[in-house]
Amino acid sequence: MLSAPITTNSTPLRSCLARLYTVLIVALSLCFSAMATAGGKPARAYLPDNVELDPAIPTPESVLGYNVGDWHVRHDLLVTYMRSLAAASDRITLEVTGYTHEQRPLLLLTITAPQNRSKLEDWRTAHMAQVQQGKKTPADAPLFFYMGYSVHGNEPSGANASLLVAYYLAAAQDERVTRLLQENVVLLDPSYNPDGLSRFAHWANMHKGKVLNADPAHREHQEGWPNGRTNHYWFDLNRDWLMMVHPESQARISKFQHWRPHVLTDFHEMGTNSSYFFQPGVPSRKNPFTPEGNVRLTNALAEYYVSAFDSEKQLYFSQEGFDDFYYGKGSSYPDAQGSIGVLFEQASSRGHLQDSINGPLAFPQTIQNQFTMSVAVFDGAMANKAALLDYQHNFYKETAELASQDDNAAYLIHEPQDSWRLEKARWVLTQHNIRYQQPREDIEVNDTVYKANSTLVVPLAQPQYRLIKSLFSTQQDFVDNTFYDVSNFNLPLAFDLTFAPMSSRELRRAKFTDTSPSPAPIVPVDSDAYAYAFEWHHYKTPALLQQLLDKGVAARIATQPFTAATTQGNLSLAAGTIVIPRGVPQPQALIELVNAAAVDAGVQVLSLSSGFTTTGIDIGSRSMVPVKAPKVLLVGGEGVSPYQAGEVWHYLDTQVGMPVTLVEQRHLDNVSLHDYTHVVFVGGRYDLPEGVDETLTDWVRAGGTLVGQTSALRLFARHNWLDIKLSSRQDVADLFSDKKLTFADRSAHNAQQLVAGAVYQASIDTSHPLFYGYDAPRLNLFKTSNMMVFSNASPTVVPARYTDSPLVAGFSADPVANEIAGSVAVVAEAMGRGRVIGFTDDPQFRGFWYGTNKLMSNALFMAEAIN
Ligand SMILES: [Zn+2]
């Protein structure tokens, strides 16, 4: 990584020179904006005028070795500075709440007056009694602020401003900070996404010259692939607040639930030609479970942002553009829980200086604005303290009332065959402080009996009622049909769990226990067995199979069901069962390998006593197809969706334990495809190097498996790898009449045509190898695009089509949903000795659509069974 120049500590002369320099630069930049230079400033210059600062507190420049804004702060330096502040200031304690994938520490600073330290836990306990039991807190109770910055790593003004906010709170002797810290607690989370911040800082710093270049075309302002927005696996962490796939989110949610702050901030950046946005957002685009009181308070706080920016003659806007619907984002997750989440969006300099329609935009100015808004949050919340305390109290009362008026008393969730997905649901509920109950006896709801040990019951009469309702929502009609990205985030649908509402009578009749069922212990296999086998339903079976193949174990796929004699008696095993015969060459340590892999995956392996089966295929049957160990090439690079590529990498790496070779599309002509069993294309715009399409065709004909998802299917159709037709943008537009459309209505008209993240149901052929492990004839898929795939081929080629009435949850206009009905969800065509597989949707969506993850594993492990 680039190392910053080390300079001496700031001196009065130096800071005077710096100010002179700044004046000079502003003057110069008016004439030569493309060549302008705009350096950072000593911390004092960012802070309110004339504030008295404690000289014992180290300034950022004294630790970083440069002025804030000169360079994009490296995360290790940010950590060093925060640690030195905590060491020097009795107002600050610092804790490491977790580590990112790249092992960067996640920090949380607790900042309050020293005399409050001993009261902190009492304050928190009283506050939590208010949040969880509705006990009113006294009027002088503290406010808890959760100040969080830069969840998108290439929106760095927030994290750079956090250096100044922390310094100001540690060093300032003024009335504002003194009162703030005497009466309240500030939790400061300086960098929500350290890995992304680091990636972007590296990019911006490595392109910085002695003379700054404001030309938007300069490489500094045009990041490479993948950019710094996302985390290590290229996930958008600002979509991960609910399902917490990543350690950054897990650490943050744990602290949020520990403190349940009154206000949480989420500092972002947007396009360079924008100005500054703060909430309130569009009134009609808030989540229906967010109370009006939240909007009133958001407005009251905004008065302070307005006054701060008006006095500086800054451009800004609010009440347009952004979305408050999806609770998986930082500015809306708190809204479901009696907190006020506030989104701030600063126009991005995306580098050190960039020309914009509003003049040259300098990085230090963007930092300054985030600092100014942070202080305005403190001012606004302190002025509205009584209202914020009251709001949390009323939130509790109103939520309890809503729950008591609900037609249902609880939701039941159930999964009989895959304990992993049920356990994952239990974990998510626990992290959000949602209470659930474990049935002691089987439960009967609506004439269906649910087994006690594979069922959870989530009662609605609890403080997290609003969050629960949104996690179980199947809403399809909305006040406003414009969605930022998703219109549904139903947990059981995503995890492919059965769920059902329960009436209060059914809930009363149910009997519960305090103890969770402990997972059945994995029993070692019988060393005398004829063969070993495991069914394919459990989420972790691909990980088990991968571990065995990696160790050289020979395995077979049962392509038809059979009944085998096992040490547990005669068992009926479904098609897709993996069989490990002893009668073929196997590693010497087979039994130890099988036992170790079974324990790792948490999947019981069965011991079969004979090759003869009472029904179905025998173990030596030709319908037991050998599994080929997958060697996967994932196509990435410019034009390819980093999200989808990251999801495939993340799934195979963290859930299956399989290495993936990532090759940029422009280098595809440099690799020998014969080293790979699979090539995976995710959504993206593809322009393959010359000759690669023929090479791929030949490789498939020779036995390769080509897998494509979402917009990659356009490439597959173009090269006739799949015999499918795809809808064009015009085809979708033609579904809607624009005869009476006014110019003003055009964006709402366009929104109608989109599928903005909704759940669709397909009917699936469970006997097809791509659906091994699934028993139900219907599967829920998450659809993020209105791209439709058409084919008249038979079910053997199209094993999944959307049902006649396919929309299950979320928004889609009727003409779109009707057109999707009956179209292709999954297609698999043989080509020579190989095959081409297409998924219309993204089976790894955001890493938490656990219900469809197995489709990718089946495309990899079951490929040989397809033709
Ligand atoms: Zn952002």
Side-chain angles (χ1 to χ4, degrees), residues 151-152 155 229 268-269 345:
V151 71
H152 295 137
E155 301 174 4
R229 175 183 176 89
H268 290 251
E269 293 183 10
E345 295 267 359

Side-chain angles (χ1 to χ4, degrees), residues 600-744:
D600 276 1
V603 177
Q604 180 62 53
V605 175
L606 304 168
S607 303
L608 275 48
S609 51
S610 168
F612 180 77
T613 63
T614 50
T615 65
I617 51 176
D618 290 325
I619 303 306
S621 163
R622 279 176 298 195
S623 296
M624 292 279 179
V625 175
V627 188
K628 212 171 176 181
K631 179 103 172 56
V632 179
L633 186 158
L634 171 64
V635 182
E638 218 51 69
V640 178
S641 162
Y643 299 126
Q644 290 188 28
E647 288 160 1
V648 171
W649 173 31
H650 178 259
Y651 171 63
L652 296 178
D653 188 35
T654 68
Q655 301 287 18
V656 181
M658 181 188 290
V660 180
T661 301
L662 181 77
V663 177
E664 298 210 8
Q665 61 165 323
R666 64 198 165 108
H667 294 147
L668 277 174
D669 52 351
N670 292 336
V671 289
S672 164
L673 290 180
H674 293 282
D675 296 341
Y676 303 94
T677 60
H678 290 74
V679 175
V680 178
F681 284 87
V682 297
R685 289 185 322 277
Y686 290 97
D687 182 14
L688 303 179
E690 209 180 316
V692 166
D693 56 331
E694 287 96 353
T695 316
L696 275 164
T697 307
D698 293 347
W699 168 83
V700 175
R701 290 192 180 286
T705 304
L706 195 56
V707 183
Q709 64 181 46
T710 68
S711 55
L713 298 195
R714 294 202 184 278
L715 174 78
F716 284 27
R718 199 158 71 226
H719 291 297
N720 293 316
W721 293 331
L722 283 174
D723 184 16
I724 49 174
K725 295 245 172 326
L726 288 103
S727 63
S728 67
R729 188 181 287 218
Q730 191 56 47
D731 294 336
V732 180
D734 289 347
L735 299 173
F736 295 84
S737 164
D738 55 7
K739 290 226 161 53
K740 288 181 184 158
L741 182 66
T742 64
F743 190 72

